[in-house]
Amino acid sequence: LGTMIETALAASFAASSSSPAALINIVLPRHKEVLEAIAAGDCEAARIAVVELLGDAREGGAEFIARQQNQI
């Protein structure tokens, strides 16, 4: 399991760093939403923010994989 998580994180970092604008405009604000909801003790807002964050990650990961496959 550790190897799988390590591989996923490495791919995530590679995808994030390939698009600094997306990192600044989408990824960091989504993480901030999660942090703020947790700090406020708002479990429902935190859950929603995490679901949105994971949805963005899934979409970004799929786009990154598609780009990588097109380069091969």
Side-chain angles (χ1 to χ4, degrees), residues 23 50 57 60 65:
L23 179 64
V50 167
I65 290 168

Side-chain angles (χ1 to χ4, degrees), residues 1-2 5 10-11 13 17 19 23-26 30-31 38 41 44 46 59 68 70 72:
L1 181 62
I5 292 170
F13 293 145
S17 63
S19 180
L23 179 64
I24 292 168
N25 296 319
I26 299 170
R30 288 282 195 222
H31 281 82
I38 292 170
E44 183 61 16
E59 184 178 312
Q68 294 300 308
N70 288 335
I72 297 175

